[in-house]
Amino acid sequence: MDRRRFLAGVVAVAGPFAGVACAGARGGVRPAAGYGPLKPVADLRDGKVRLHLPDGFRYRSFSAAGETFSDGTTVPGRHDGMAAFAGPKGGTILVRNHEVAGPVGAFGDKDAAYDPMAGGGTSTLHVTGHGEVLRSGPSLNGTMMNCSGGPMPWRAWVSCEETVNGPDVGDDPSGGDNSRLTRRHGYLFEVPVDGVASARPIRSAGRFPHESAAFDPSTGAVYLTEDNFSFPSGFYRYLPPRHPMREGRLLDGGRLQMLAVDGVKRADLSRGQRAGASYATRWVDIDDPDPRFTGRPPYEEAVQAVGRQGRAEGAAIFARLEGAVFHQGVVYFVSTQGGATAPGDPPPSGFGDGRGQVWAYETWSGRLRLVHESPRSSVLDLPDNVTVSRRGTLVLCEDGDGDNYLRGLTRTGEIFDFCRLHPIPDDPGAEFAGSTFGPGGLTLFVNVQAKRGRSFAIWGPWERGLF
């Protein structure tokens, strides 16, 4: 290792979240006061209480499912992953996923759809910092189960399909008739911030249940999480054929790899970890990232086709990898059901028995570190999407069985509640998703995925706390 790389490593070790690793090594949980107690706050849109927030914070909801875009078409539901970009005249441009399953037909212009039978995709909204919509419309349609993704510095959003549905695969557990689909699904799609997507999949980045994408500008690699609900999941990276910063887009034709623990074949990291766990890692190649199926195999077989290739070469096992974000040379990613089952907490359904882990992969060293493992659901309950604030605090969206929160995880290992979702009658599965700070960090935008999902803009005295 030369001197420059050594010094960079020293800075990274002493930098953001070094305190989290130390806190984990000491054991226990460090609660933080955050911004103070939460109380019900009325939505400035219509006066209804939808969120509980600390004193001084306000919010407005916008662009709910069933409303209309600027072009008159209907806003689909299942609001999920999202990113914010600087817009004209100090405004914000949001690119937002819609995690719609089944062959329900495309929203928007069906002639522009990747698959006219699929109901997922993305919408793009021009908004003010207080959630007033200036312009909105579909930007990718005809895709399916667009869960999360990631912002790219060349002003694009990479949207991820969390499925492998298609006419070549048996029906998935939701019961949708895959024979009605016209295209194969399970890919990444790039959406330009200032236009609409070409609807061309990045096939070499794999056909598996994608969740999030985090870009490393120094190498051009795109780190990918897999949320395979009932089976083991993996942590991947896609190495495009040419650096996306030079091309201004993400090219197909690259190489897909899966993370493995050095010296341990198929290391099971889905289980409870020792405090301060840290692993040296390596990457294994996926020889067939875009499998084509014949004879319509059962969905349960097809959804494991890519991951099994990696595990055959020794790749590590995780439980439901969801949100991911790149920050100062580190990819932070969430294992929603990772960890040990706490006494008194029943294990959740699906693969993994814990209430959540947060991992950090150091791109410069290849080291994988455990940032946080939930000791019980009252501390952190099934974390999902993640973003990072100006001060380096992670914002975790919960997808738990009871009350759902936005929680902060600080660089020194403190965890605190920032926002609670007010219970929605007849919709106990409602959850937070897609948290993202607008330009300058003055507004936190977030989605609530529900039967009638909607987006929110939250603002207030950020300087008073840890975001």
Side-chain angles (χ1 to χ4, degrees), residues 8-334:
V10 170
V11 170
V13 168
F17 289 88
V20 173
C22 294
R26 291 191 293 268
V29 177
R30 301 178 60 196
Y35 289 86
L38 309 184
K39 63 179 184 180
V41 179
D43 190 337
L44 290 178
R45 174 182 172 132
D46 56 13
K48 293 184 179 180
V49 173
R50 295 187 171 95
L51 302 178
H52 294 225
L53 288 162
D55 187 52
F57 283 89
R58 307 170 76 190
Y59 70 94
R60 176 181 284 107
S61 69
F62 58 94
S63 191
E67 297 179 353
T68 57
F69 291 121
S70 299
D71 64 0
T73 60
T74 302
V75 177
R78 306 288 296 173
H79 301 34
D80 210 312
M82 184 167 67
F85 302 83
K89 299 181 180 179
T92 298
I93 301 175
L94 299 172
V95 186
R96 179 183 66 191
N97 276 3
H98 296 277
E99 191 188 6
V100 179
V104 297
F107 67 93
D109 180 4
K110 289 181 172 53
D111 290 337
Y114 169 72
D115 181 342
M117 290 306 301
T122 67
S123 54
T124 298
L125 305 97
H126 293 241
V127 300
T128 70
H130 290 171
E132 296 144 325
V133 179
L134 307 174
R135 188 166 74 252
S136 63
S139 48
L140 169 70
N141 64 346
T143 53
M144 179 176 280
M145 294 289 288
N146 296 73
C147 202
S148 191
M152 302 294 135
W154 56 93
R155 289 181 64 82
W157 164 255
V158 167
S159 184
C160 299
E161 290 186 305
E162 189 191 5
T163 183
V164 294
N165 278 332
D168 60 338
V169 175
D171 298 343
D172 71 16
S174 70
D177 183 359
N178 278 350
S179 68
R180 298 175 60 199
L181 299 172
T182 67
R183 304 287 294 273
R184 295 183 292 134
H185 295 270
Y187 301 112
L188 307 184
F189 290 83
E190 184 173 321
V191 183
V193 171
D194 302 308
V196 296
S198 65
R200 288 194 298 265
I202 310 296
R203 298 184 184 278
S204 297
R207 185 187 184 190
F208 60 86
H210 289 275
E211 176 76 24
S212 292
F215 178 70
D216 176 8
S218 65
T219 64
V222 181
Y223 292 86
L224 305 168
T225 57
E226 177 183 27
D227 183 8
N228 204 336
F229 183 84
S230 299
F231 305 101
S233 295
F235 183 58
Y236 299 79
R237 71 177 179 187
Y238 174 61
L239 305 175
R242 293 191 292 277
H243 200 297
M245 294 291 287
R246 290 194 293 269
E247 295 295 318
R249 62 191 179 101
L250 185 62
L251 297 179
D252 203 353
R255 183 158 46 116
L256 183 67
Q257 298 179 318
M258 198 168 174
L259 187 79
V261 172
D262 204 13
V264 183
K265 289 187 175 181
R266 293 179 293 280
D268 190 351
L269 304 184
S270 70
R271 300 180 181 274
Q273 300 290 305
R274 69 186 186 279
S278 175
Y279 301 95
T281 65
R282 61 189 178 92
W283 293 92
V284 299
D285 288 336
I286 302 296
D287 292 332
D288 184 14
D290 183 20
R292 295 175 179 267
F293 303 110
T294 58
R296 295 195 74 214
Y299 184 88
E300 292 75 13
E301 291 297 317
V303 78
Q304 299 182 75
V306 170
R308 278 178 170 168
Q309 294 178 56
R311 287 187 289 277
E313 299 299 319
I317 293 171
F318 294 91
R320 298 193 57 204
L321 296 187
E322 298 209 56
V325 63
F326 178 88
H327 183 64
Q328 297 186 1
V330 179
V331 178
Y332 298 96
F333 63 95
V334 168

Side-chain angles (χ1 to χ4, degrees), residues 407-429:
R407 302 192 195 258
L409 181 62
T410 75
R411 297 191 299 177
T412 54
E414 299 168 319
I415 193 164
F416 63 93
D417 302 339
F418 171 70
C419 178
R420 182 171 78 90
L421 177 62
H422 191 78
I424 301 175
D426 303 320
D427 196 0

